[in-house]
Amino acid sequence: MTMFSYKSMDALGAITRGTMDAANLPDLELRLKRMELDLIDCKPTRKGGFSFGKQAITRKDLINFCFHMEQLTSAGVPILDGLADLRDSTDHARFREVVADLIENIEGGDQFSEALSRHPTVFDITFTSLVMAGERSGKIDEVLKNLSESLKWQDELAAQTKKIIMYPAFVGTIVLGVTFFLMIYLVPQLVSFIKNMGEELPMHTQVLIVVSNVFIHYWIVLLAFPILGYIGFSIWLKKVPTARYSWDGAKLKTPMIGEVLHKIILARFATFFGLMYASGITILECMKLSEGIVGNAVVASGIRRAGLLISEGHGVTEAFQNTGMFPPLVIRMLKVGESTGSLDTALRNVSYFYNRDIKEMIEKVQAMIEPVMTVMLGLLLGWIMLSVLGPIYDTISKIKS
């Protein structure tokens, strides 16, 4: 299959651009024809290359996909007809291409899960594994409904997490802008006035002058250093596995933020583990898939160790307890679920409790961040005012005396 970058026109004469996999030019024309598009021009392009202006497929698109397919399949509509209806109704060009390719592959003999697995950047391995389990059990509509609810939960969780980041980022940007303005424009003018008074400058004023000179002469370095440092740090984390492990461990130990992050990871793990187990996926396969879900090398390592213990004959509760990564709440819930044979229900309860705690903790952390940022800005302005106005006040006091 070759990736083509194409230009096409619909029945109303609107021009559409995009990319699509096809065996050759006639195959591309046929695929576009089924999307009610007429090919105008095309050229082969490299897979994974940059495509500016291409719409990204977001979590909300996947939620709509799961909801649409769950509603139709539960009503008895065949999967191919449901996909065709979704292809014709969506106005998302890139997603329409993906759905059209799903139809092509299913018509070519693939199962629904196999067709999904051909688009790993859109449907991850957990998504396709759950759909495969639904196909085997004959409960594809239930799996799609659970996936839709799970994706909605992820979307809400992401929105809650952004609350922690957005305010500090906004205030931090303002503080940075104010600092540059004061150090580069205002402080030099005030310092030149202070020097003309001929008084000996106190230490904190001399420090302010040095800092101001650094901003004036090396402002490009000050702006470029965080960007270059971030790029270098990201490359280092990708290239060195031990660096990723150490960094993920440090994040979990960060005051305030670490506890929230740990609970978010455990809530994600409990949600997807319970969803996979309820769909008929074996415990060991659930453990293996969960390693890639948690997004933290330290927790993934703990899950891997628990999986090894389970494969050696240990119980689920005992295996998780021996890793030392999971708090008593998770262990107690697992123990109850294992003894009653309802492990998926126990894990859903874990997710519910953690989701509630996460909301409360995010509100607390956000409430603490606001005054901290305000105090930082006040200390900065107070230091500058003291360094500038202090010598002036001393000079005026000497003149009066």
Side-chain angles (χ1 to χ4, degrees):
M1 299 289 280
T2 304
M3 178 70 76
F4 287 92
S5 176
Y6 67 85
K7 179 182 178 182
S8 62
M9 182 173 64
D10 62 15
L12 299 176
I15 301 298
T16 303
R17 300 177 187 271
T19 57
M20 180 179 289
D21 278 322
N24 46 42
L25 183 58
D27 184 38
L28 177 64
E29 289 182 313
L30 179 61
R31 290 177 179 233
L32 290 173
K33 202 69 177 177
R34 293 183 178 182
M35 295 168 60
E36 298 182 355
L37 296 172
D38 294 321
L39 180 63
I40 298 175
D41 189 23
C42 70
K43 62 179 179 179
T45 183
R46 291 186 302 170
K47 289 189 178 182
F50 292 103
S51 180
F52 296 102
K54 185 171 67 175
Q55 287 178 286
I57 296 176
T58 64
R59 191 182 291 114
K60 290 184 179 179
D61 295 320
L62 293 179
I63 292 171
N64 292 334
F65 174 83
C66 292
F67 178 77
H68 180 95
M69 294 304 299
E70 181 264 325
Q71 291 292 310
L72 292 181
T73 51
S74 60
V77 178
I79 287 178
L80 271 175
D81 292 343
L83 289 172
D85 181 64
L86 181 61
R87 178 199 61 194
D88 297 336
S89 61
T90 184
D91 56 356
H92 193 304
R94 171 61 182 152
F95 198 52
R96 185 167 62 245
E97 295 169 9
V98 171
V99 174
D101 192 63
L102 294 177
I103 295 172
E104 292 281 345
N105 291 321
I106 293 173
E107 289 178 341
D110 282 353
Q111 293 289 328
F112 185 34
S113 58
E114 293 174 333
L116 293 173
S117 66
R118 294 179 182 273
H119 299 273
T121 57
V122 180
F123 308 101
D124 59 25
I125 187 170
T126 305
F127 193 105
T128 54
S129 297
L130 286 168
V131 172
M132 184 183 296
E135 290 173 336
R136 292 174 181 173
S137 62
K139 299 179 180 178
I140 187 68
D141 54 335
E142 291 183 16
V143 169
L144 288 169
K145 181 180 179 180
N146 290 333
L147 273 170
S148 178
E149 293 175 353
S150 178
L151 289 168
K152 288 178 183 177
W153 171 79
Q154 286 187 75
D155 204 46
E156 292 174 1
L157 191 61
Q160 293 168 14
T161 307
K162 286 179 182 177
K163 290 181 180 179
I164 299 182
I165 302 172
M166 291 305 294
Y167 183 81
F170 175 73
V171 177
T173 302
I174 293 176
V175 170
L176 186 63
V178 170
T179 303
F180 268 83
F181 171 75
L182 293 174
M183 293 297 177
I184 294 176
Y185 178 75
L186 186 61
V187 170
Q189 295 186 17
L190 296 174
V191 167
S192 62
F193 172 72
I194 295 171
K195 286 182 177 180
N196 290 333
M197 294 190 303
E199 294 290 333
E200 183 179 353
L201 300 179
M203 180 57 69
H204 53 81
T205 304
Q206 295 178 22
V207 172
L208 178 63
I209 294 172
V210 172
V211 173
S212 178
N213 289 331
V214 170
F215 272 82
I216 292 171
H217 296 100
Y218 302 102
W219 64 271
I220 296 179
V221 177
L222 292 174
L223 289 176
F225 180 77
I227 299 173
L228 296 176
Y230 174 78
I231 294 173
F233 186 69
S234 300
I235 294 173
W236 181 57
L237 291 179
K238 289 181 181 179
K239 298 293 184 182
V240 183
T242 54
R244 167 59 66 181
Y245 188 90
S246 300
W247 173 241
D248 285 346
K251 287 191 292 186
L252 295 177
K253 296 176 182 177
T254 304
M256 296 189 298
I257 304 297
E259 188 178 357
V260 177
L261 179 62
H262 195 189
K263 289 191 175 184
I264 289 174
I265 292 171
L266 292 178
R268 185 187 300 133
F269 163 75
T271 299
F272 278 98
F273 192 101
L275 184 57
M276 289 185 287
Y277 184 77
S279 300
I281 300 176
T282 63
I283 288 181
L284 288 177
E285 189 64 24
C286 289
M287 301 291 287
K288 185 177 180 181
L289 292 172
S290 296
E291 291 179 26
I293 291 171
V294 294
N296 185 283
V298 176
V299 179
S301 177
I303 294 172
R304 192 179 304 114
R305 291 197 302 273
L308 289 173
L309 290 173
I310 292 172
S311 65
E312 293 172 358
H314 294 268
V316 176
T317 306
E318 182 185 0
F320 277 95
Q321 192 170 13
N322 288 338
T323 62
M325 283 298 306
F326 301 92
L329 173 65
V330 178
I331 302 301
R332 284 197 298 270
M333 288 293 187
L334 287 173
K335 187 175 183 179
V336 172
E338 191 176 15
S339 60
T340 59
S342 56
L343 191 59
D344 54 329
T345 303
L347 288 166
R348 280 198 296 269
N349 289 335
V350 171
S351 177
Y352 169 77
F353 282 121
Y354 275 134
N355 192 31
R356 186 184 63 182
D357 285 349
I358 288 165
K359 290 180 180 179
E360 293 177 355
M361 291 183 69
I362 286 176
E363 291 175 358
K364 290 179 181 178
V365 170
Q366 189 176 11
M368 293 177 67
I369 286 175
E370 292 178 6
V372 168
M373 299 296 290
T374 304
V375 169
M376 288 177 60
L377 181 58
L379 290 174
L380 174 65
L381 294 176
W383 171 52
I384 294 175
M385 292 299 102
L386 178 64
S387 301
V388 172
L389 298 180
I392 297 176
Y393 178 78
D394 292 340
T395 303
I396 294 174
S397 300
K398 289 180 182 178
I399 293 173
K400 287 183 177 180
S401 62

